[in-house]
Amino acid sequence: MAGQDLLHTQPRPMHWLATATALSAVVAAASFLQPADATATTSSGATTGRHPAAAPDPAKVTFPVDCGPYRLDVVKKASADLDGDGTTETVAAVRCHSGTGTPPTGVYVLAQPTRAGTAPRVVATLVAPAQQLTAQTLTVRHGAISAAFLGYSTREVPRCCPDTHKSLKWQWKGGKFVQSELPAAMSTARA
């Protein structure tokens, strides 16, 4: 059978141990990185004197992701007024459905439609699936978006065993989302 000579197609106990260790670290990190008072949505209606529109629903959006015959899964979402305009935006982490493995994640900011009766729209791409990152956490707090990702340092690293960790943050500044990366010591200290 083609491909049986490739090292990553012959799992050994060490591969399973490395996978179990990586998964344990991710679960432990997620329990520490999630603030106790975190909520999925916040209300901005009190500051504007009007009732805010409902947060954009990711299930109604056509994302710029080609999954071929597979469906697109929304794996994480959070909503808040991210740009200070008094309306609620939604941040959605999406990936192609897979029964096994971990397909890369795309992270998008959604806004209300410009015309009534139309679907919410994608207004920003924070992480494209082509970057080969998998979102582990996604939170919105005080208008800032934070996410932790696992990835691969090279194409030779088996897709079962991500070997890099990256924590990113985005804030609305100067009319766009500005990305910053947490220092490595801070992003892995809790893992």
Side-chain angles (χ1 to χ4, degrees), residues 6 27 31 38 52 58 70 73 80-81 89-90 94 97 102 113 140 157 160 183 191:
L6 300 175
V27 170
S31 67
Y70 302 101
D73 292 334
D81 180 2
E89 290 83 26
T90 296
V94 301
H97 180 76
T102 308
V140 175
V157 174
C160 69

Side-chain angles (χ1 to χ4, degrees), residues 26-147:
V26 168
V27 170
S31 67
F32 288 110
L33 294 176
Q34 181 74 19
D37 62 343
T39 59
T41 61
T42 60
S43 173
S44 60
T47 59
T48 62
R50 60 187 167 97
H51 294 289
D57 182 359
K60 297 179 179 178
V61 175
T62 301
F63 290 94
V65 178
D66 181 11
C67 291
Y70 302 101
R71 73 175 187 263
L72 185 76
D73 292 334
V74 177
V75 293
K76 299 181 185 327
K77 65 180 180 175
S79 299
D81 180 2
L82 301 172
D83 58 5
D85 68 352
T87 62
T88 303
E89 290 83 26
T90 296
V91 181
V94 301
R95 69 178 188 197
C96 296
H97 180 76
S98 172
T100 61
T102 308
T105 307
V107 180
Y108 303 94
V109 178
L110 313 176
Q112 291 297 339
T114 54
R115 293 180 300 146
T118 60
R121 55 201 167 96
V122 174
V123 294
T125 299
L126 303 179
V127 173
Q131 292 174 260
Q132 296 293 308
L133 297 173
T134 301
Q136 299 299 299
T137 63
L138 176 68
T139 59
V140 175
R141 188 168 181 182
H142 305 297
I145 305 161
S146 299

